[in-house]
PDB file of all heavy atoms in Angstrom:
ATOM      1  N   TRP A  87      43.910  56.441  66.127  1.00 98.00           N
ATOM      2  CA  TRP A  87      44.088  55.007  65.939  1.00 98.00           C
ATOM      3  C   TRP A  87      44.703  54.431  67.212  1.00 98.00           C
ATOM      4  O   TRP A  87      45.871  54.713  67.531  1.00 98.00           O
ATOM      5  CB  TRP A  87      44.972  54.740  64.723  1.00 98.00           C
ATOM      6  CG  TRP A  87      44.382  55.334  63.476  1.00 98.00           C
ATOM      7  CD1 TRP A  87      44.612  56.571  62.962  1.00 98.00           C
ATOM      8  CD2 TRP A  87      43.406  54.728  62.626  1.00 98.00           C
ATOM      9  NE1 TRP A  87      43.854  56.771  61.838  1.00 98.00           N
ATOM     10  CE2 TRP A  87      43.099  55.664  61.602  1.00 98.00           C
ATOM     11  CE3 TRP A  87      42.765  53.486  62.622  1.00 98.00           C
ATOM     12  CZ2 TRP A  87      42.188  55.385  60.594  1.00 98.00           C
ATOM     13  CZ3 TRP A  87      41.857  53.214  61.614  1.00 98.00           C
ATOM     14  CH2 TRP A  87      41.585  54.144  60.624  1.00 98.00           C
ATOM     15  N   LEU A  88      43.931  53.643  67.953  1.00 97.00           N
ATOM     16  CA  LEU A  88      44.325  53.187  69.287  1.00 97.00           C
ATOM     17  C   LEU A  88      44.406  51.664  69.327  1.00 97.00           C
ATOM     18  O   LEU A  88      43.469  50.971  68.906  1.00 97.00           O
ATOM     19  CB  LEU A  88      43.314  53.657  70.334  1.00 97.00           C
ATOM     20  CG  LEU A  88      43.003  55.159  70.380  1.00 97.00           C
ATOM     21  CD1 LEU A  88      41.915  55.433  71.412  1.00 97.00           C
ATOM     22  CD2 LEU A  88      44.265  55.953  70.695  1.00 97.00           C
ATOM     23  N   ARG A  89      45.507  51.163  69.875  1.00 96.00           N
ATOM     24  CA  ARG A  89      45.628  49.716  70.026  1.00 96.00           C
ATOM     25  C   ARG A  89      44.885  49.272  71.286  1.00 96.00           C
ATOM     26  O   ARG A  89      45.093  49.805  72.378  1.00 96.00           O
ATOM     27  CB  ARG A  89      47.091  49.305  70.113  1.00 96.00           C
ATOM     28  CG  ARG A  89      47.263  47.783  70.094  1.00 96.00           C
ATOM     29  CD  ARG A  89      48.713  47.374  70.091  1.00 96.00           C
ATOM     30  NE  ARG A  89      48.841  45.930  69.981  1.00 96.00           N
ATOM     31  CZ  ARG A  89      49.992  45.274  70.041  1.00 96.00           C
ATOM     32  NH1 ARG A  89      51.119  45.947  70.184  1.00 96.00           N
ATOM     33  NH2 ARG A  89      50.021  43.957  69.940  1.00 96.00           N
ATOM     34  N   GLY A  90      44.006  48.311  71.128  1.00 95.00           N
ATOM     35  CA  GLY A  90      43.230  47.793  72.248  1.00 95.00           C
ATOM     36  C   GLY A  90      42.195  46.821  71.745  1.00 95.00           C
ATOM     37  O   GLY A  90      41.981  46.681  70.541  1.00 95.00           O
ATOM     38  N   ASP A  91      41.544  46.136  72.673  1.00 91.00           N
ATOM     39  CA  ASP A  91      40.495  45.192  72.279  1.00 91.00           C
ATOM     40  C   ASP A  91      39.241  45.480  73.081  1.00 91.00           C
ATOM     41  O   ASP A  91      39.134  46.497  73.762  1.00 91.00           O
ATOM     42  CB  ASP A  91      40.972  43.750  72.458  1.00 91.00           C
ATOM     43  CG  ASP A  91      41.393  43.443  73.894  1.00 91.00           C
ATOM     44  OD1 ASP A  91      41.000  44.201  74.811  1.00 91.00           O
ATOM     45  OD2 ASP A  91      42.093  42.441  74.088  1.00 91.00           O
ATOM     46  N   ASP A  92      38.261  44.568  72.981  1.00 90.00           N
ATOM     47  CA  ASP A  92      36.987  44.820  73.646  1.00 90.00           C
ATOM     48  C   ASP A  92      37.118  44.860  75.160  1.00 90.00           C
ATOM     49  O   ASP A  92      36.276  45.456  75.842  1.00 90.00           O
ATOM     50  CB  ASP A  92      35.970  43.755  73.238  1.00 90.00           C
ATOM     51  CG  ASP A  92      36.435  42.335  73.548  1.00 90.00           C
ATOM     52  OD1 ASP A  92      37.455  41.901  72.981  1.00 90.00           O
ATOM     53  OD2 ASP A  92      35.773  41.658  74.342  1.00 90.00           O
ATOM     54  N   ALA A  93      38.174  44.263  75.720  1.00 91.00           N
ATOM     55  CA  ALA A  93      38.373  44.293  77.167  1.00 91.00           C
ATOM     56  C   ALA A  93      38.898  45.632  77.657  1.00 91.00           C
ATOM     57  O   ALA A  93      38.948  45.878  78.861  1.00 91.00           O
ATOM     58  CB  ALA A  93      39.325  43.174  77.581  1.00 91.00           C
ATOM     59  N   ALA A  94      39.304  46.507  76.717  1.00 90.00           N
ATOM     60  CA  ALA A  94      39.963  47.759  77.101  1.00 90.00           C
ATOM     61  C   ALA A  94      39.043  48.969  77.028  1.00 90.00           C
ATOM     62  O   ALA A  94      39.498  50.096  77.260  1.00 90.00           O
ATOM     63  CB  ALA A  94      41.179  47.991  76.203  1.00 90.00           C
ATOM     64  N   VAL A  95      37.761  48.767  76.742  1.00 94.00           N
ATOM     65  CA  VAL A  95      36.871  49.893  76.482  1.00 94.00           C
ATOM     66  C   VAL A  95      36.891  50.910  77.620  1.00 94.00           C
ATOM     67  O   VAL A  95      37.002  52.119  77.405  1.00 94.00           O
ATOM     68  CB  VAL A  95      35.433  49.399  76.226  1.00 94.00           C
ATOM     69  CG1 VAL A  95      34.447  50.559  76.219  1.00 94.00           C
ATOM     70  CG2 VAL A  95      35.367  48.654  74.905  1.00 94.00           C
ATOM     71  N   THR A  96      36.792  50.442  78.852  1.00 93.00           N
ATOM     72  CA  THR A  96      36.701  51.373  79.981  1.00 93.00           C
ATOM     73  C   THR A  96      38.069  51.875  80.435  1.00 93.00           C
ATOM     74  O   THR A  96      38.135  52.728  81.325  1.00 93.00           O
ATOM     75  CB  THR A  96      35.976  50.713  81.166  1.00 93.00           C
ATOM     76  OG1 THR A  96      36.682  49.526  81.554  1.00 93.00           O
ATOM     77  CG2 THR A  96      34.547  50.350  80.789  1.00 93.00           C
ATOM     78  N   ARG A  97      39.147  51.370  79.825  1.00 93.00           N
ATOM     79  CA  ARG A  97      40.499  51.776  80.233  1.00 93.00           C
ATOM     80  C   ARG A  97      41.157  52.725  79.238  1.00 93.00           C
ATOM     81  O   ARG A  97      42.307  53.117  79.429  1.00 93.00           O
ATOM     82  CB  ARG A  97      41.390  50.542  80.410  1.00 93.00           C
ATOM     83  CG  ARG A  97      40.875  49.545  81.433  1.00 93.00           C
ATOM     84  CD  ARG A  97      41.974  48.588  81.867  1.00 93.00           C
ATOM     85  NE  ARG A  97      42.528  47.841  80.754  1.00 93.00           N
ATOM     86  CZ  ARG A  97      42.083  46.647  80.357  1.00 93.00           C
ATOM     87  NH1 ARG A  97      41.054  46.087  80.972  1.00 93.00           N
ATOM     88  NH2 ARG A  97      42.654  46.014  79.343  1.00 93.00           N
ATOM     89  N   LEU A  98      40.448  53.087  78.186  1.00 93.00           N
ATOM     90  CA  LEU A  98      41.047  53.912  77.135  1.00 93.00           C
ATOM     91  C   LEU A  98      40.879  55.410  77.383  1.00 93.00           C
ATOM     92  O   LEU A  98      41.354  56.213  76.576  1.00 93.00           O
ATOM     93  CB  LEU A  98      40.433  53.548  75.781  1.00 93.00           C
ATOM     94  CG  LEU A  98      40.816  52.172  75.223  1.00 93.00           C
ATOM     95  CD1 LEU A  98      39.981  51.848  73.996  1.00 93.00           C
ATOM     96  CD2 LEU A  98      42.300  52.112  74.889  1.00 93.00           C
ATOM     97  N   CYS A  99      40.212  55.769  78.479  1.00 92.00           N
ATOM     98  CA  CYS A  99      40.012  57.192  78.825  1.00 92.00           C
ATOM     99  C   CYS A  99      39.337  57.953  77.677  1.00 92.00           C
ATOM    100  O   CYS A  99      39.758  59.056  77.318  1.00 92.00           O
ATOM    101  CB  CYS A  99      41.331  57.848  79.204  1.00 92.00           C
ATOM    102  SG  CYS A  99      42.133  57.090  80.639  1.00 92.00           S
ATOM    103  N   LEU A 100      38.308  57.332  77.111  1.00 95.00           N
ATOM    104  CA  LEU A 100      37.590  57.955  76.015  1.00 95.00           C
ATOM    105  C   LEU A 100      36.615  59.009  76.537  1.00 95.00           C
ATOM    106  O   LEU A 100      36.127  58.911  77.670  1.00 95.00           O
ATOM    107  CB  LEU A 100      36.797  56.895  75.238  1.00 95.00           C
ATOM    108  CG  LEU A 100      37.602  55.781  74.569  1.00 95.00           C
ATOM    109  CD1 LEU A 100      36.664  54.694  74.058  1.00 95.00           C
ATOM    110  CD2 LEU A 100      38.441  56.336  73.434  1.00 95.00           C
ATOM    111  N   PRO A 101      36.315  60.005  75.723  1.00 95.00           N
ATOM    112  CA  PRO A 101      35.232  60.919  76.082  1.00 95.00           C
ATOM    113  C   PRO A 101      33.897  60.201  75.919  1.00 95.00           C
ATOM    114  O   PRO A 101      33.842  59.035  75.505  1.00 95.00           O
ATOM    115  CB  PRO A 101      35.379  62.051  75.060  1.00 95.00           C
ATOM    116  CG  PRO A 101      35.971  61.378  73.873  1.00 95.00           C
ATOM    117  CD  PRO A 101      36.897  60.324  74.407  1.00 95.00           C
ATOM    118  N   ARG A 102      32.809  60.884  76.238  1.00 97.00           N
ATOM    119  CA  ARG A 102      31.485  60.305  76.021  1.00 97.00           C
ATOM    120  C   ARG A 102      31.290  59.998  74.536  1.00 97.00           C
ATOM    121  O   ARG A 102      31.581  60.832  73.680  1.00 97.00           O
ATOM    122  CB  ARG A 102      30.397  61.256  76.508  1.00 97.00           C
ATOM    123  CG  ARG A 102      30.241  61.269  78.018  1.00 97.00           C
ATOM    124  CD  ARG A 102      29.726  59.926  78.513  1.00 97.00           C
ATOM    125  NE  ARG A 102      29.700  59.861  79.964  1.00 97.00           N
ATOM    126  CZ  ARG A 102      29.455  58.767  80.668  1.00 97.00           C
ATOM    127  NH1 ARG A 102      29.270  57.620  80.021  1.00 97.00           N
ATOM    128  NH2 ARG A 102      29.423  58.778  81.972  1.00 97.00           N
ATOM    129  N   ILE A 103      30.818  58.795  74.261  1.00 98.00           N
ATOM    130  CA  ILE A 103      30.666  58.309  72.899  1.00 98.00           C
ATOM    131  C   ILE A 103      29.197  58.417  72.484  1.00 98.00           C
ATOM    132  O   ILE A 103      28.304  57.953  73.200  1.00 98.00           O
ATOM    133  CB  ILE A 103      31.139  56.846  72.790  1.00 98.00           C
ATOM    134  CG1 ILE A 103      32.629  56.725  73.183  1.00 98.00           C
ATOM    135  CG2 ILE A 103      30.890  56.290  71.407  1.00 98.00           C
ATOM    136  CD1 ILE A 103      33.567  57.474  72.286  1.00 98.00           C
ATOM    137  N   ASP A 104      28.967  59.014  71.340  1.00 98.00           N
ATOM    138  CA  ASP A 104      27.600  59.124  70.824  1.00 98.00           C
ATOM    139  C   ASP A 104      27.179  57.885  70.044  1.00 98.00           C
ATOM    140  O   ASP A 104      25.998  57.531  70.029  1.00 98.00           O
ATOM    141  CB  ASP A 104      27.483  60.359  69.925  1.00 98.00           C
ATOM    142  CG  ASP A 104      27.745  61.647  70.688  1.00 98.00           C
ATOM    143  OD1 ASP A 104      26.945  61.968  71.585  1.00 98.00           O
ATOM    144  OD2 ASP A 104      28.756  62.309  70.401  1.00 98.00           O
ATOM    145  N   LEU A 105      28.137  57.250  69.391  1.00 98.00           N
ATOM    146  CA  LEU A 105      27.844  56.061  68.584  1.00 98.00           C
ATOM    147  C   LEU A 105      29.054  55.151  68.592  1.00 98.00           C
ATOM    148  O   LEU A 105      30.175  55.587  68.327  1.00 98.00           O
ATOM    149  CB  LEU A 105      27.514  56.465  67.142  1.00 98.00           C
ATOM    150  CG  LEU A 105      27.468  55.351  66.092  1.00 98.00           C
ATOM    151  CD1 LEU A 105      26.360  54.350  66.412  1.00 98.00           C
ATOM    152  CD2 LEU A 105      27.287  55.932  64.692  1.00 98.00           C
ATOM    153  N   CYS A 106      28.818  53.879  68.910  1.00 98.00           N
ATOM    154  CA  CYS A 106      29.855  52.846  68.763  1.00 98.00           C
ATOM    155  C   CYS A 106      29.437  51.925  67.629  1.00 98.00           C
ATOM    156  O   CYS A 106      28.315  51.399  67.623  1.00 98.00           O
ATOM    157  CB  CYS A 106      30.014  52.045  70.053  1.00 98.00           C
ATOM    158  SG  CYS A 106      31.154  50.638  69.883  1.00 98.00           S
ATOM    159  N   VAL A 107      30.309  51.750  66.660  1.00 98.00           N
ATOM    160  CA  VAL A 107      30.053  50.825  65.562  1.00 98.00           C
ATOM    161  C   VAL A 107      30.985  49.619  65.696  1.00 98.00           C
ATOM    162  O   VAL A 107      32.158  49.759  66.061  1.00 98.00           O
ATOM    163  CB  VAL A 107      30.237  51.498  64.181  1.00 98.00           C
ATOM    164  CG1 VAL A 107      29.136  52.513  63.937  1.00 98.00           C
ATOM    165  CG2 VAL A 107      31.600  52.162  64.048  1.00 98.00           C
ATOM    166  N   ILE A 108      30.439  48.450  65.426  1.00 97.00           N
ATOM    167  CA  ILE A 108      31.206  47.208  65.506  1.00 97.00           C
ATOM    168  C   ILE A 108      30.860  46.371  64.287  1.00 97.00           C
ATOM    169  O   ILE A 108      29.685  46.094  64.029  1.00 97.00           O
ATOM    170  CB  ILE A 108      30.892  46.402  66.783  1.00 97.00           C
ATOM    171  CG1 ILE A 108      30.975  47.276  68.037  1.00 97.00           C
ATOM    172  CG2 ILE A 108      31.843  45.217  66.901  1.00 97.00           C
ATOM    173  CD1 ILE A 108      30.568  46.565  69.310  1.00 97.00           C
ATOM    174  N   GLY A 109      31.875  45.977  63.547  1.00 94.00           N
ATOM    175  CA  GLY A 109      31.656  45.132  62.380  1.00 94.00           C
ATOM    176  C   GLY A 109      31.751  43.663  62.741  1.00 94.00           C
ATOM    177  O   GLY A 109      31.296  43.220  63.792  1.00 94.00           O
ATOM    178  N   ARG A 110      32.403  42.904  61.890  1.00 88.00           N
ATOM    179  CA  ARG A 110      32.442  41.453  62.045  1.00 88.00           C
ATOM    180  C   ARG A 110      33.185  41.014  63.306  1.00 88.00           C
ATOM    181  O   ARG A 110      33.051  39.870  63.738  1.00 88.00           O
ATOM    182  CB  ARG A 110      33.086  40.818  60.812  1.00 88.00           C
ATOM    183  CG  ARG A 110      32.299  41.084  59.530  1.00 88.00           C
ATOM    184  CD  ARG A 110      33.030  40.597  58.296  1.00 88.00           C
ATOM    185  NE  ARG A 110      32.262  40.843  57.082  1.00 88.00           N
ATOM    186  CZ  ARG A 110      32.387  41.935  56.343  1.00 88.00           C
ATOM    187  NH1 ARG A 110      33.256  42.874  56.677  1.00 88.00           N
ATOM    188  NH2 ARG A 110      31.645  42.094  55.265  1.00 88.00           N
ATOM    189  N   ALA A 111      33.946  41.916  63.913  1.00 90.00           N
ATOM    190  CA  ALA A 111      34.705  41.555  65.116  1.00 90.00           C
ATOM    191  C   ALA A 111      33.805  41.222  66.297  1.00 90.00           C
ATOM    192  O   ALA A 111      34.253  40.588  67.252  1.00 90.00           O
ATOM    193  CB  ALA A 111      35.651  42.702  65.498  1.00 90.00           C
ATOM    194  N   PHE A 112      32.540  41.620  66.251  1.00 92.00           N
ATOM    195  CA  PHE A 112      31.663  41.418  67.411  1.00 92.00           C
ATOM    196  C   PHE A 112      31.531  39.942  67.767  1.00 92.00           C
ATOM    197  O   PHE A 112      31.400  39.588  68.930  1.00 92.00           O
ATOM    198  CB  PHE A 112      30.282  42.028  67.121  1.00 92.00           C
ATOM    199  CG  PHE A 112      29.416  42.175  68.339  1.00 92.00           C
ATOM    200  CD1 PHE A 112      29.877  42.818  69.472  1.00 92.00           C
ATOM    201  CD2 PHE A 112      28.120  41.683  68.346  1.00 92.00           C
ATOM    202  CE1 PHE A 112      29.071  42.976  70.596  1.00 92.00           C
ATOM    203  CE2 PHE A 112      27.313  41.823  69.458  1.00 92.00           C
ATOM    204  CZ  PHE A 112      27.786  42.479  70.583  1.00 92.00           C
ATOM    205  N   ARG A 113      31.590  39.075  66.764  1.00 87.00           N
ATOM    206  CA  ARG A 113      31.437  37.639  67.035  1.00 87.00           C
ATOM    207  C   ARG A 113      32.591  37.095  67.866  1.00 87.00           C
ATOM    208  O   ARG A 113      32.465  36.060  68.507  1.00 87.00           O
ATOM    209  CB  ARG A 113      31.309  36.867  65.728  1.00 87.00           C
ATOM    210  CG  ARG A 113      32.626  36.715  64.994  1.00 87.00           C
ATOM    211  CD  ARG A 113      32.475  35.998  63.684  1.00 87.00           C
ATOM    212  NE  ARG A 113      31.793  36.821  62.707  1.00 87.00           N
ATOM    213  CZ  ARG A 113      31.704  36.507  61.411  1.00 87.00           C
ATOM    214  NH1 ARG A 113      32.233  35.388  60.980  1.00 87.00           N
ATOM    215  NH2 ARG A 113      31.105  37.294  60.566  1.00 87.00           N
ATOM    216  N   ARG A 114      33.750  37.791  67.847  1.00 88.00           N
ATOM    217  CA  ARG A 114      34.915  37.316  68.594  1.00 88.00           C
ATOM    218  C   ARG A 114      35.039  37.979  69.961  1.00 88.00           C
ATOM    219  O   ARG A 114      36.002  37.731  70.680  1.00 88.00           O
ATOM    220  CB  ARG A 114      36.191  37.567  67.774  1.00 88.00           C
ATOM    221  CG  ARG A 114      36.252  36.793  66.473  1.00 88.00           C
ATOM    222  CD  ARG A 114      37.600  36.937  65.791  1.00 88.00           C
ATOM    223  NE  ARG A 114      37.806  38.280  65.294  1.00 88.00           N
ATOM    224  CZ  ARG A 114      37.412  38.732  64.111  1.00 88.00           C
ATOM    225  NH1 ARG A 114      36.755  37.912  63.296  1.00 88.00           N
ATOM    226  NH2 ARG A 114      37.637  39.966  63.738  1.00 88.00           N
ATOM    227  N   MET A 115      34.090  38.832  70.310  1.00 93.00           N
ATOM    228  CA  MET A 115      34.147  39.562  71.574  1.00 93.00           C
ATOM    229  C   MET A 115      33.349  38.842  72.661  1.00 93.00           C
ATOM    230  O   MET A 115      32.476  38.017  72.376  1.00 93.00           O
ATOM    231  CB  MET A 115      33.589  40.974  71.380  1.00 93.00           C
ATOM    232  CG  MET A 115      34.382  41.849  70.431  1.00 93.00           C
ATOM    233  SD  MET A 115      33.621  43.492  70.255  1.00 93.00           S
ATOM    234  CE  MET A 115      34.761  44.251  69.077  1.00 93.00           C
ATOM    235  N   ASP A 116      33.642  39.202  73.905  1.00 93.00           N
ATOM    236  CA  ASP A 116      32.783  38.824  75.026  1.00 93.00           C
ATOM    237  C   ASP A 116      31.608  39.789  74.993  1.00 93.00           C
ATOM    238  O   ASP A 116      31.644  40.881  75.555  1.00 93.00           O
ATOM    239  CB  ASP A 116      33.564  38.942  76.335  1.00 93.00           C
ATOM    240  CG  ASP A 116      32.762  38.497  77.546  1.00 93.00           C
ATOM    241  OD1 ASP A 116      31.509  38.540  77.484  1.00 93.00           O
ATOM    242  OD2 ASP A 116      33.371  38.141  78.560  1.00 93.00           O
ATOM    243  N   ARG A 117      30.556  39.398  74.308  1.00 93.00           N
ATOM    244  CA  ARG A 117      29.496  40.340  73.939  1.00 93.00           C
ATOM    245  C   ARG A 117      28.815  40.970  75.157  1.00 93.00           C
ATOM    246  O   ARG A 117      28.601  42.195  75.194  1.00 93.00           O
ATOM    247  CB  ARG A 117      28.466  39.632  73.062  1.00 93.00           C
ATOM    248  CG  ARG A 117      29.029  39.160  71.731  1.00 93.00           C
ATOM    249  CD  ARG A 117      28.022  38.300  70.992  1.00 93.00           C
ATOM    250  NE  ARG A 117      28.514  37.928  69.668  1.00 93.00           N
ATOM    251  CZ  ARG A 117      27.827  37.184  68.813  1.00 93.00           C
ATOM    252  NH1 ARG A 117      26.631  36.722  69.138  1.00 93.00           N
ATOM    253  NH2 ARG A 117      28.326  36.896  67.627  1.00 93.00           N
ATOM    254  N   ALA A 118      28.430  40.143  76.125  1.00 94.00           N
ATOM    255  CA  ALA A 118      27.709  40.679  77.283  1.00 94.00           C
ATOM    256  C   ALA A 118      28.579  41.684  78.031  1.00 94.00           C
ATOM    257  O   ALA A 118      28.108  42.758  78.438  1.00 94.00           O
ATOM    258  CB  ALA A 118      27.268  39.542  78.198  1.00 94.00           C
ATOM    259  N   ARG A 119      29.864  41.355  78.205  1.00 95.00           N
ATOM    260  CA  ARG A 119      30.733  42.263  78.951  1.00 95.00           C
ATOM    261  C   ARG A 119      30.978  43.555  78.198  1.00 95.00           C
ATOM    262  O   ARG A 119      30.935  44.641  78.785  1.00 95.00           O
ATOM    263  CB  ARG A 119      32.085  41.593  79.232  1.00 95.00           C
ATOM    264  CG  ARG A 119      32.981  42.414  80.184  1.00 95.00           C
ATOM    265  CD  ARG A 119      34.455  42.074  80.041  1.00 95.00           C
ATOM    266  NE  ARG A 119      34.948  42.432  78.727  1.00 95.00           N
ATOM    267  CZ  ARG A 119      35.700  41.641  77.977  1.00 95.00           C
ATOM    268  NH1 ARG A 119      36.022  40.434  78.390  1.00 95.00           N
ATOM    269  NH2 ARG A 119      36.112  42.036  76.786  1.00 95.00           N
TER     270      ARG A 119
END
Side-chain angles (χ1 to χ4, degrees):
W87 301 91
L88 306 176
R89 187 176 184 185
D91 58 19
D92 57 297
V95 169
T96 58
R97 302 197 301 268
L98 290 171
C99 299
L100 298 170
R102 283 294 174 189
I103 300 297
D104 297 295
L105 168 63
C106 174
V107 291
I108 310 175
R110 298 173 179 92
F112 194 52
R113 75 182 71 170
R114 296 187 291 273
M115 296 179 181
D116 183 335
R117 296 172 176 180
R119 188 203 65 226

